[in-house]
Amino acid sequence: MHRLLITMVLAALVVSMPAQAQRGSFLSMEEMRQNTFGEQAAALEWQTLWVNQEQRDAIEAILGHRFHGLRIRYLGDGQRTLWKFEEIGKEQLITVGVVVDSDRIANIEVMEYRESRGGEVRYPFFTGQFQGLGLLPEQAPALDGHIDGITGATLSVRAMTKIATLALFCHQLTPFTHRESSSQTAAR
Amino acid sequence: MAFLLLISVTGILLNHTSSLHLGSQPVRQPWLLALYGLDLPDIRSYQVGEQWLAGDALGQLYLQGEPLSQCNGSLQGAVALGDLVLLACTRELLLLTATGEVVERLDGDFGLPLPLSAAGQCGDRVCLRSQGQAYLVDLEQLQWLPAVDAAVQWGEPGLAPAELRKRLRAHLASPLSWEKVVQDLHSGRLFGSLGVLLFDLLGVLFIFLALSGLWLWYRPGRGRRELDS
């Protein structure tokens, strides 16, 4: 009888462990900032990207829902920018940090995951797919590479893809964009 | 009779608890919650212009008595900032349009001094209080400059109109469901340990009545005695 009880308790623990392991806060903004900009991190100030109506329309097309933000805060240095976005996976917000360097994704990290399922999107086997991706030229904002989905995490994968696209779109509106730097260099 | 009616009705309700969704129906009657030593989440309401903003201890925000959004921590203050409204929760600052759309969220990542305990007007600017220190808010530059506390007109929570309070109470999360109340009515637990004892005694009494009635109806030799008399 005791053995049966212990087995049942252990089985319940094993079943509940994956759900517990999915949720969590994995990376703070301070760590993300330090990892992205190294020694200059402390000296950097928040930049503001003001959103006009045309940009708002594009952002809403990327996200697939209304966007009410007046402005988006980010950090930038050289041709590199760091963005923190939140998007709903299934029911809860996923907080994601995205580093864009020379108009391509240099890093994407799940900073906080609140859903009970789909947390696999934070592992490098998935996030690594975004590295080096940019936006397709002269089209509605979309990634120029394919992202393989994860069974059981479809909505979280979709949210991550939206955030990556949004970060790339926003980056090209900043003075830190490669295009602007290139045109400035050409002008000189 | 009343006891029989009570356990019959509650028994039928318990049989259909799923289809009646009793488990997900929150109890919001203060007198009933008081019987369980429970209370609805603490609510703070602030008036900004013509509108009332409220927040509970769980971080749920309400505009004019209707659910608005979640914020990190409980609501500590609300002030007008031009056409927008600034809401200060314990660990987050929210900027809303007059219609309640969240246009910006700022937290400790942006250097916001935490935890926040009040929001107020300092001239035509907005000030926040954190750990006894007042800060002047500059949302353009994202700066939180120390200010003189006495010079700030801190926003105080107020009593929203009765109609709004009623509307808000309909949305409040409750720690008690109607299923639990019906279960406790059925068992007598709602009336405390004496209630359970009373229900036990009444139960025994009805068992005795049922058995004695059966025995009187079918006791041996009943037919012969009736014929003798």
Side-chain angles (χ1 to χ4, degrees):
Chain A
M1 184 64 186
H2 282 103
R3 200 173 292 171
L4 179 70
L5 264 176
I6 291 167
T7 312
M8 284 171 70
V9 169
L10 283 176
L13 278 174
V14 169
V15 167
S16 64
M17 265 168 66
Q20 293 303 320
Q22 310 241 331
R23 291 189 191 122
S25 189
F26 307 107
L27 201 64
S28 69
M29 192 60 196
E30 195 48 48
E31 288 168 318
M32 193 82 198
R33 184 177 176 147
Q34 197 64 39
N35 296 346
T36 308
F37 300 107
E39 287 177 2
Q40 287 117 27
L44 292 179
E45 288 186 354
W46 285 97
Q47 307 285 326
T48 305
L49 171 67
W50 288 92
V51 181
N52 63 30
Q53 191 55 50
E54 190 187 341
Q55 292 157 355
R56 187 183 309 281
D57 292 343
I59 290 172
E60 289 181 353
I62 293 169
L63 295 175
H65 58 75
R66 295 294 306 276
F67 176 79
H68 299 293
L70 291 174
R71 57 197 160 200
I72 301 171
R73 314 279 186 176
Y74 67 99
L75 290 167
D77 185 40
Q79 292 183 0
R80 182 174 284 202
T81 52
L82 169 59
W83 306 83
K84 177 187 165 187
F85 289 119
E86 290 188 321
E87 183 63 11
I88 289 178
K90 188 178 181 190
E91 287 164 345
Q92 303 289 328
L93 287 170
I94 308 170
T95 308
V96 182
V98 190
V99 182
V100 183
D101 197 346
S102 307
D103 295 332
R104 300 212 156 259
I105 288 176
N107 189 22
I108 182 165
E109 301 267 6
V110 174
M111 297 166 71
E112 189 163 356
Y113 195 82
R114 302 171 182 86
E115 304 270 13
S116 57
R117 289 176 192 280
E120 296 86 350
V121 290
R122 75 184 171 92
Y123 294 117
F125 80 85
F126 176 75
T127 55
Q129 298 183 88
F130 289 94
Q131 278 186 9
L133 294 189
L135 289 180
L136 285 170
E138 295 169 14
Q139 282 188 25
L143 296 178
D144 62 2
H146 177 72
I147 301 296
D148 287 334
I150 301 173
T151 308
T154 311
L155 295 175
S156 296
V157 168
R158 201 172 291 167
M160 291 287 282
T161 309
K162 283 179 188 177
I163 288 174
T165 313
L166 180 59
L168 284 166
F169 174 75
C170 291
H171 175 88
Q172 67 175 13
L173 302 174
T174 71
F176 301 93
T177 180
H178 183 55
R179 287 171 202 165
E180 181 148 315
S181 308
S182 306
S183 60
Q184 279 171 357
T185 312
R188 280 177 207 147
Chain B
M1 181 65 183
F3 170 77
L4 268 179
L5 267 174
L6 183 70
I7 58 164
S8 304
V9 171
T10 53
I12 292 167
L13 286 174
L14 285 175
N15 268 349
H16 299 279
T17 182
S18 298
S19 51
L20 294 171
H21 306 290
L22 290 180
S24 56
Q25 296 285 335
V27 174
R28 296 199 177 95
Q29 284 68 15
W31 63 270
L32 197 48
L33 288 166
L35 278 179
Y36 286 83
L38 298 170
D39 206 353
L40 287 172
D42 192 24
I43 291 282
R44 279 187 186 182
S45 301
Y46 295 87
Q47 187 172 18
V48 179
E50 296 294 306
Q51 293 187 309
W52 280 90
L53 288 132
D56 64 26
L58 305 171
Q60 177 64 49
L61 299 171
Y62 304 86
L63 174 66
Q64 295 293 89
E66 297 295 336
L68 175 69
S69 182
Q70 280 278 338
C71 77
N72 193 349
S74 58
L75 185 62
Q76 301 294 322
V79 282
L81 182 64
D83 295 337
L84 302 172
V85 178
L86 184 139
L87 293 185
C89 295
T90 320
R91 309 200 66 78
E92 195 175 31
L93 207 60
L94 266 72
L95 218 50
L96 307 179
T97 62
T99 49
E101 286 144 352
V102 180
V103 295
E104 188 158 34
R105 288 175 181 269
L106 296 168
D107 56 19
D109 288 340
F110 298 93
L112 179 68
L114 298 175
L116 296 175
S117 54
Q121 300 279 358
C122 28
D124 56 350
R125 307 277 295 273
V126 168
C127 279
L128 298 171
R129 189 195 277 149
S130 174
Q131 298 184 323
Q133 170 69 52
Y135 293 91
L136 187 66
V137 175
D138 181 351
L139 290 178
E140 302 293 317
Q141 302 295 319
L142 269 190
Q143 287 180 334
W144 326 97
L145 307 165
V148 181
D149 195 281
V152 185
Q153 192 183 343
W154 296 110
E156 293 290 335
L159 190 64
E163 186 201 338
L164 288 185
R165 290 205 308 274
K166 189 179 168 189
R167 202 183 300 167
L168 197 148
R169 197 155 55 212
H171 296 292
L172 284 180
S174 168
L176 184 67
S177 73
W178 276 108
E179 183 181 25
K180 174 76 178 148
V181 175
V182 175
Q183 273 174 354
D184 292 345
L185 259 175
H186 192 70
S187 64
R189 269 192 200 90
L190 195 66
F191 312 106
S193 49
L194 276 178
V196 178
L197 198 65
L198 181 68
F199 274 45
D200 284 349
L201 284 173
L202 287 168
V204 170
L205 179 69
F206 280 108
I207 291 168
F208 173 76
L209 281 174
L211 291 178
S212 59
L214 200 65
W215 183 75
L216 283 173
W217 175 69
Y218 193 67
R219 61 183 166 181
R222 173 173 170 251
R224 195 180 58 231
R225 272 201 297 276
E226 274 174 2
L227 279 176
D228 291 347
S229 63

Short mmCIF file of all heavy atoms in Angstrom, two decimals, chain A residues 65-111:
data_model
loop_
_atom_site.label_atom_id
_atom_site.label_comp_id
_atom_site.label_asym_id
_atom_site.label_seq_id
_atom_site.Cartn_x
_atom_site.Cartn_y
_atom_site.Cartn_z
N HIS A 65 -2.38 42.40 -34.54
CA HIS A 65 -3.38 42.99 -33.63
C HIS A 65 -3.05 44.46 -33.43
O HIS A 65 -2.01 44.94 -33.90
CB HIS A 65 -3.42 42.24 -32.28
CG HIS A 65 -2.12 42.22 -31.55
ND1 HIS A 65 -1.60 43.31 -30.89
CD2 HIS A 65 -1.19 41.23 -31.39
CE1 HIS A 65 -0.45 42.98 -30.32
NE2 HIS A 65 -0.17 41.73 -30.63
N ARG A 66 -3.94 45.16 -32.73
CA ARG A 66 -3.74 46.60 -32.51
C ARG A 66 -2.49 46.87 -31.71
O ARG A 66 -2.10 46.09 -30.85
CB ARG A 66 -4.96 47.19 -31.76
CG ARG A 66 -6.25 47.16 -32.53
CD ARG A 66 -6.27 48.04 -33.76
NE ARG A 66 -5.92 49.43 -33.49
CZ ARG A 66 -6.77 50.36 -33.07
NH1 ARG A 66 -8.03 50.04 -32.87
NH2 ARG A 66 -6.38 51.61 -32.86
N PHE A 67 -1.85 48.00 -32.02
CA PHE A 67 -0.68 48.44 -31.26
C PHE A 67 -0.94 49.88 -30.84
O PHE A 67 -1.14 50.75 -31.69
CB PHE A 67 0.58 48.33 -32.14
CG PHE A 67 1.81 48.85 -31.47
CD1 PHE A 67 2.49 48.08 -30.54
CD2 PHE A 67 2.32 50.12 -31.77
CE1 PHE A 67 3.62 48.57 -29.91
CE2 PHE A 67 3.45 50.60 -31.14
CZ PHE A 67 4.10 49.82 -30.22
N HIS A 68 -0.96 50.12 -29.51
CA HIS A 68 -1.33 51.44 -29.03
C HIS A 68 -0.13 52.28 -28.60
O HIS A 68 -0.29 53.44 -28.23
CB HIS A 68 -2.29 51.31 -27.84
CG HIS A 68 -3.56 50.61 -28.19
ND1 HIS A 68 -4.49 51.15 -29.04
CD2 HIS A 68 -4.05 49.40 -27.84
CE1 HIS A 68 -5.50 50.32 -29.19
NE2 HIS A 68 -5.25 49.24 -28.48
N GLY A 69 1.06 51.68 -28.61
CA GLY A 69 2.25 52.39 -28.11
C GLY A 69 2.52 53.69 -28.84
O GLY A 69 2.37 53.78 -30.06
N LEU A 70 2.92 54.71 -28.07
CA LEU A 70 3.28 55.99 -28.66
C LEU A 70 4.72 55.96 -29.14
O LEU A 70 5.10 56.61 -30.09
CB LEU A 70 3.19 57.10 -27.60
CG LEU A 70 1.84 57.51 -27.07
CD1 LEU A 70 2.04 58.51 -25.94
CD2 LEU A 70 1.04 58.14 -28.19
N ARG A 71 5.54 55.21 -28.38
CA ARG A 71 6.98 55.17 -28.63
C ARG A 71 7.52 53.84 -28.14
O ARG A 71 6.89 53.18 -27.31
CB ARG A 71 7.66 56.33 -27.91
CG ARG A 71 7.38 56.32 -26.44
CD ARG A 71 7.67 57.63 -25.76
NE ARG A 71 6.96 57.69 -24.50
CZ ARG A 71 6.69 58.80 -23.84
NH1 ARG A 71 7.06 59.95 -24.32
NH2 ARG A 71 6.04 58.76 -22.70
N ILE A 72 8.68 53.48 -28.66
CA ILE A 72 9.33 52.23 -28.25
C ILE A 72 10.72 52.59 -27.74
O ILE A 72 11.46 53.31 -28.41
CB ILE A 72 9.40 51.23 -29.42
CG1 ILE A 72 7.99 50.93 -29.95
CG2 ILE A 72 10.08 49.94 -29.00
CD1 ILE A 72 7.96 50.13 -31.24
N ARG A 73 11.03 52.12 -26.57
CA ARG A 73 12.35 52.39 -25.98
C ARG A 73 13.31 51.28 -26.38
O ARG A 73 12.92 50.11 -26.45
CB ARG A 73 12.25 52.43 -24.46
CG ARG A 73 11.09 53.25 -23.92
CD ARG A 73 11.38 54.71 -23.89
NE ARG A 73 10.31 55.43 -23.23
CZ ARG A 73 10.34 56.73 -22.99
NH1 ARG A 73 11.38 57.45 -23.35
NH2 ARG A 73 9.33 57.32 -22.38
N TYR A 74 14.57 51.65 -26.60
CA TYR A 74 15.57 50.65 -26.95
C TYR A 74 16.94 51.18 -26.59
O TYR A 74 17.11 52.38 -26.28
CB TYR A 74 15.50 50.32 -28.45
CG TYR A 74 15.89 51.46 -29.36
CD1 TYR A 74 17.17 51.53 -29.92
CD2 TYR A 74 15.00 52.49 -29.64
CE1 TYR A 74 17.55 52.59 -30.74
CE2 TYR A 74 15.37 53.55 -30.45
CZ TYR A 74 16.64 53.60 -31.00
OH TYR A 74 17.01 54.65 -31.80
N LEU A 75 17.92 50.33 -26.65
CA LEU A 75 19.31 50.74 -26.42
C LEU A 75 20.06 50.57 -27.73
O LEU A 75 19.80 49.62 -28.48
CB LEU A 75 19.95 49.88 -25.33
CG LEU A 75 19.43 50.10 -23.91
CD1 LEU A 75 19.90 48.98 -22.99
CD2 LEU A 75 19.89 51.45 -23.37
N GLY A 76 21.00 51.46 -28.02
CA GLY A 76 21.73 51.35 -29.28
C GLY A 76 23.15 51.83 -29.15
O GLY A 76 23.47 52.72 -28.35
N ASP A 77 24.02 51.21 -29.93
CA ASP A 77 25.42 51.62 -29.96
C ASP A 77 26.01 51.11 -31.28
O ASP A 77 25.86 49.92 -31.61
CB ASP A 77 26.17 51.01 -28.77
CG ASP A 77 27.61 51.51 -28.70
OD1 ASP A 77 27.82 52.71 -28.95
OD2 ASP A 77 28.51 50.70 -28.42
N GLY A 78 26.67 51.98 -32.01
CA GLY A 78 27.23 51.57 -33.30
C GLY A 78 26.12 51.16 -34.24
O GLY A 78 25.20 51.94 -34.50
N GLN A 79 26.17 49.94 -34.73
CA GLN A 79 25.10 49.43 -35.61
C GLN A 79 24.26 48.39 -34.89
O GLN A 79 23.59 47.56 -35.51
CB GLN A 79 25.72 48.83 -36.87
CG GLN A 79 26.37 49.89 -37.74
CD GLN A 79 26.93 49.32 -39.02
OE1 GLN A 79 26.84 48.12 -39.28
NE2 GLN A 79 27.51 50.16 -39.84
N ARG A 80 24.36 48.41 -33.57
CA ARG A 80 23.70 47.38 -32.77
C ARG A 80 22.59 48.00 -31.90
O ARG A 80 22.80 49.05 -31.29
CB ARG A 80 24.77 46.73 -31.88
CG ARG A 80 24.28 45.62 -31.00
CD ARG A 80 25.43 44.99 -30.29
NE ARG A 80 26.18 44.11 -31.19
CZ ARG A 80 26.96 43.13 -30.79
NH1 ARG A 80 27.12 42.90 -29.51
NH2 ARG A 80 27.60 42.38 -31.65
N THR A 81 21.44 47.35 -31.88
CA THR A 81 20.35 47.81 -31.00
C THR A 81 19.82 46.63 -30.17
O THR A 81 19.90 45.48 -30.61
CB THR A 81 19.16 48.40 -31.80
OG1 THR A 81 18.77 47.47 -32.78
CG2 THR A 81 19.51 49.72 -32.43
N LEU A 82 19.30 46.96 -29.00
CA LEU A 82 18.71 45.95 -28.11
C LEU A 82 17.27 46.33 -27.84
O LEU A 82 16.99 47.47 -27.43
CB LEU A 82 19.52 45.87 -26.81
CG LEU A 82 18.90 45.06 -25.66
CD1 LEU A 82 18.67 43.60 -26.05
CD2 LEU A 82 19.79 45.13 -24.42
N TRP A 83 16.37 45.39 -28.04
CA TRP A 83 14.93 45.63 -27.88
C TRP A 83 14.34 44.64 -26.88
O TRP A 83 14.76 43.48 -26.85
CB TRP A 83 14.20 45.45 -29.21
CG TRP A 83 14.78 46.27 -30.30
CD1 TRP A 83 15.86 45.96 -31.08
CD2 TRP A 83 14.36 47.58 -30.73
NE1 TRP A 83 16.13 46.96 -31.96
CE2 TRP A 83 15.21 47.98 -31.78
CE3 TRP A 83 13.33 48.43 -30.34
CZ2 TRP A 83 15.07 49.20 -32.43
CZ3 TRP A 83 13.19 49.65 -31.00
CH2 TRP A 83 14.05 50.03 -32.02
N LYS A 84 13.37 45.13 -26.12
CA LYS A 84 12.63 44.23 -25.22
C LYS A 84 11.16 44.33 -25.60
O LYS A 84 10.57 45.41 -25.56
CB LYS A 84 12.83 44.68 -23.76
CG LYS A 84 12.06 43.89 -22.74
CD LYS A 84 12.22 44.55 -21.38
CE LYS A 84 11.21 44.05 -20.39
NZ LYS A 84 11.25 44.80 -19.12
N PHE A 85 10.61 43.20 -26.03
CA PHE A 85 9.19 43.19 -26.43
C PHE A 85 8.44 42.12 -25.65
O PHE A 85 9.02 41.12 -25.22
CB PHE A 85 9.05 42.89 -27.92
CG PHE A 85 9.50 44.01 -28.81
CD1 PHE A 85 10.54 43.84 -29.71
CD2 PHE A 85 8.88 45.25 -28.76
CE1 PHE A 85 10.95 44.88 -30.54
CE2 PHE A 85 9.28 46.29 -29.58
CZ PHE A 85 10.32 46.10 -30.47
N GLU A 86 7.13 42.35 -25.54
CA GLU A 86 6.27 41.34 -24.92
C GLU A 86 5.14 41.00 -25.87
O GLU A 86 4.58 41.91 -26.52
CB GLU A 86 5.69 41.87 -23.60
CG GLU A 86 6.77 42.00 -22.53
CD GLU A 86 6.21 42.33 -21.17
OE1 GLU A 86 5.27 43.12 -21.10
OE2 GLU A 86 6.73 41.78 -20.19
N GLU A 87 4.86 39.73 -26.00
CA GLU A 87 3.79 39.30 -26.90
C GLU A 87 3.11 38.08 -26.27
O GLU A 87 3.77 37.26 -25.61
CB GLU A 87 4.40 38.95 -28.26
CG GLU A 87 3.42 38.54 -29.32
CD GLU A 87 2.41 39.64 -29.72
OE1 GLU A 87 2.58 40.79 -29.33
OE2 GLU A 87 1.43 39.30 -30.39
N ILE A 88 1.81 37.97 -26.48
CA ILE A 88 1.08 36.85 -25.90
C ILE A 88 1.33 35.59 -26.73
O ILE A 88 1.26 35.64 -27.97
CB ILE A 88 -0.42 37.17 -25.81
CG1 ILE A 88 -0.63 38.22 -24.72
CG2 ILE A 88 -1.24 35.92 -25.50
CD1 ILE A 88 -2.05 38.67 -24.54
N GLY A 89 1.68 34.49 -26.05
CA GLY A 89 1.83 33.20 -26.73
C GLY A 89 0.45 32.61 -26.92
O GLY A 89 -0.19 32.79 -27.96
N LYS A 90 -0.04 31.92 -25.90
CA LYS A 90 -1.41 31.43 -25.95
C LYS A 90 -2.32 32.32 -25.10
O LYS A 90 -3.27 32.89 -25.58
CB LYS A 90 -1.47 29.98 -25.46
CG LYS A 90 -2.82 29.35 -25.67
CD LYS A 90 -2.84 27.92 -25.22
CE LYS A 90 -4.21 27.31 -25.47
NZ LYS A 90 -4.32 26.00 -24.82
N GLU A 91 -1.93 32.45 -23.82
CA GLU A 91 -2.73 33.29 -22.92
C GLU A 91 -1.89 34.30 -22.17
O GLU A 91 -2.39 35.31 -21.71
CB GLU A 91 -3.45 32.39 -21.90
CG GLU A 91 -4.59 31.61 -22.52
CD GLU A 91 -5.04 30.47 -21.64
OE1 GLU A 91 -4.31 30.11 -20.69
OE2 GLU A 91 -6.11 29.92 -21.91
N GLN A 92 -0.59 33.98 -22.02
CA GLN A 92 0.27 34.83 -21.19
C GLN A 92 1.34 35.52 -22.04
O GLN A 92 1.68 35.04 -23.13
CB GLN A 92 0.98 33.97 -20.13
CG GLN A 92 0.05 33.19 -19.23
CD GLN A 92 -0.70 34.07 -18.25
OE1 GLN A 92 -0.19 35.09 -17.82
NE2 GLN A 92 -1.91 33.70 -17.93
N LEU A 93 1.88 36.61 -21.48
CA LEU A 93 2.92 37.35 -22.19
C LEU A 93 4.25 36.62 -22.14
O LEU A 93 4.61 36.03 -21.12
CB LEU A 93 3.09 38.73 -21.57
CG LEU A 93 1.98 39.76 -21.83
CD1 LEU A 93 2.19 40.97 -20.95
CD2 LEU A 93 1.96 40.16 -23.29
N ILE A 94 4.98 36.66 -23.25
CA ILE A 94 6.36 36.16 -23.29
C ILE A 94 7.23 37.41 -23.43
O ILE A 94 6.99 38.23 -24.32
CB ILE A 94 6.59 35.24 -24.50
CG1 ILE A 94 5.53 34.13 -24.55
CG2 ILE A 94 7.98 34.63 -24.47
CD1 ILE A 94 5.56 33.33 -25.85
N THR A 95 8.20 37.57 -22.55
CA THR A 95 9.10 38.72 -22.64
C THR A 95 10.37 38.28 -23.36
O THR A 95 11.01 37.31 -22.96
CB THR A 95 9.46 39.25 -21.23
OG1 THR A 95 8.24 39.47 -20.51
CG2 THR A 95 10.25 40.54 -21.30
N VAL A 96 10.70 39.00 -24.42
CA VAL A 96 11.81 38.58 -25.27
C VAL A 96 12.77 39.75 -25.49
O VAL A 96 12.34 40.89 -25.70
CB VAL A 96 11.28 38.09 -26.64
CG1 VAL A 96 12.43 37.60 -27.52
CG2 VAL A 96 10.26 36.99 -26.46
N GLY A 97 14.06 39.48 -25.43
CA GLY A 97 15.08 40.47 -25.75
C GLY A 97 15.67 40.13 -27.11
O GLY A 97 15.98 38.97 -27.38
N VAL A 98 15.79 41.14 -27.98
CA VAL A 98 16.33 40.90 -29.32
C VAL A 98 17.48 41.86 -29.58
O VAL A 98 17.36 43.07 -29.35
CB VAL A 98 15.25 41.10 -30.42
CG1 VAL A 98 15.78 40.59 -31.77
CG2 VAL A 98 13.97 40.40 -30.07
N VAL A 99 18.59 41.32 -30.05
CA VAL A 99 19.74 42.15 -30.42
C VAL A 99 19.82 42.14 -31.95
O VAL A 99 19.87 41.08 -32.56
CB VAL A 99 21.06 41.59 -29.84
CG1 VAL A 99 22.23 42.51 -30.21
CG2 VAL A 99 20.95 41.42 -28.34
N VAL A 100 19.80 43.34 -32.52
CA VAL A 100 19.93 43.45 -33.98
C VAL A 100 21.26 44.14 -34.27
O VAL A 100 21.58 45.18 -33.68
CB VAL A 100 18.76 44.28 -34.59
CG1 VAL A 100 18.89 44.32 -36.11
CG2 VAL A 100 17.43 43.68 -34.19
N ASP A 101 22.05 43.53 -35.13
CA ASP A 101 23.36 44.09 -35.47
C ASP A 101 23.45 44.15 -36.99
O ASP A 101 23.26 43.13 -37.66
CB ASP A 101 24.46 43.19 -34.89
CG ASP A 101 25.80 43.92 -34.84
OD1 ASP A 101 25.90 44.99 -35.48
OD2 ASP A 101 26.72 43.44 -34.17
N SER A 102 23.76 45.32 -37.52
CA SER A 102 23.87 45.52 -38.96
C SER A 102 22.64 44.97 -39.69
O SER A 102 22.77 44.26 -40.70
CB SER A 102 25.14 44.85 -39.50
OG SER A 102 26.26 45.27 -38.76
N ASP A 103 21.48 45.30 -39.16
CA ASP A 103 20.19 44.93 -39.77
C ASP A 103 19.90 43.44 -39.77
O ASP A 103 19.01 42.97 -40.51
CB ASP A 103 20.07 45.48 -41.20
CG ASP A 103 20.06 46.99 -41.22
OD1 ASP A 103 19.62 47.58 -40.22
OD2 ASP A 103 20.50 47.57 -42.23
N ARG A 104 20.63 42.68 -38.99
CA ARG A 104 20.37 41.23 -38.90
C ARG A 104 20.31 40.84 -37.41
O ARG A 104 20.94 41.49 -36.58
CB ARG A 104 21.47 40.44 -39.60
CG ARG A 104 21.56 40.80 -41.06
CD ARG A 104 21.98 39.68 -41.96
NE ARG A 104 21.49 39.94 -43.32
CZ ARG A 104 20.44 39.39 -43.87
NH1 ARG A 104 19.73 38.53 -43.20
NH2 ARG A 104 20.06 39.68 -45.10
N ILE A 105 19.59 39.79 -37.14
CA ILE A 105 19.45 39.39 -35.74
C ILE A 105 20.74 38.74 -35.25
O ILE A 105 21.24 37.79 -35.87
CB ILE A 105 18.25 38.43 -35.57
CG1 ILE A 105 16.97 39.24 -35.74
CG2 ILE A 105 18.27 37.75 -34.20
CD1 ILE A 105 15.71 38.45 -35.69
N ALA A 106 21.27 39.32 -34.18
CA ALA A 106 22.51 38.78 -33.61
C ALA A 106 22.18 37.83 -32.46
O ALA A 106 22.92 36.87 -32.21
CB ALA A 106 23.39 39.92 -33.12
N ASN A 107 21.07 38.09 -31.79
CA ASN A 107 20.71 37.25 -30.65
C ASN A 107 19.23 37.47 -30.30
O ASN A 107 18.72 38.58 -30.43
CB ASN A 107 21.59 37.60 -29.44
CG ASN A 107 21.43 36.63 -28.30
OD1 ASN A 107 20.99 35.48 -28.50
ND2 ASN A 107 21.75 37.06 -27.10
N ILE A 108 18.59 36.40 -29.88
CA ILE A 108 17.20 36.53 -29.39
C ILE A 108 17.07 35.61 -28.18
O ILE A 108 17.50 34.46 -28.23
CB ILE A 108 16.16 36.22 -30.50
CG1 ILE A 108 14.72 36.40 -29.99
CG2 ILE A 108 16.34 34.83 -31.07
CD1 ILE A 108 13.69 36.47 -31.11
N GLU A 109 16.58 36.17 -27.08
CA GLU A 109 16.52 35.40 -25.83
C GLU A 109 15.15 35.56 -25.19
O GLU A 109 14.62 36.68 -25.14
CB GLU A 109 17.55 35.93 -24.82
CG GLU A 109 18.98 35.87 -25.30
CD GLU A 109 19.68 34.60 -24.86
OE1 GLU A 109 19.01 33.72 -24.29
OE2 GLU A 109 20.90 34.51 -25.11
N VAL A 110 14.60 34.47 -24.67
CA VAL A 110 13.37 34.56 -23.87
C VAL A 110 13.79 34.98 -22.47
O VAL A 110 14.52 34.27 -21.79
CB VAL A 110 12.64 33.20 -23.83
CG1 VAL A 110 11.45 33.26 -22.87
CG2 VAL A 110 12.15 32.83 -25.21
N MET A 111 13.36 36.19 -22.07
CA MET A 111 13.74 36.70 -20.75
C MET A 111 12.79 36.19 -19.68
O MET A 111 13.21 35.90 -18.56
CB MET A 111 13.75 38.23 -20.78
CG MET A 111 14.78 38.78 -21.76
SD MET A 111 14.55 40.52 -22.10
CE MET A 111 15.07 41.22 -20.55
#
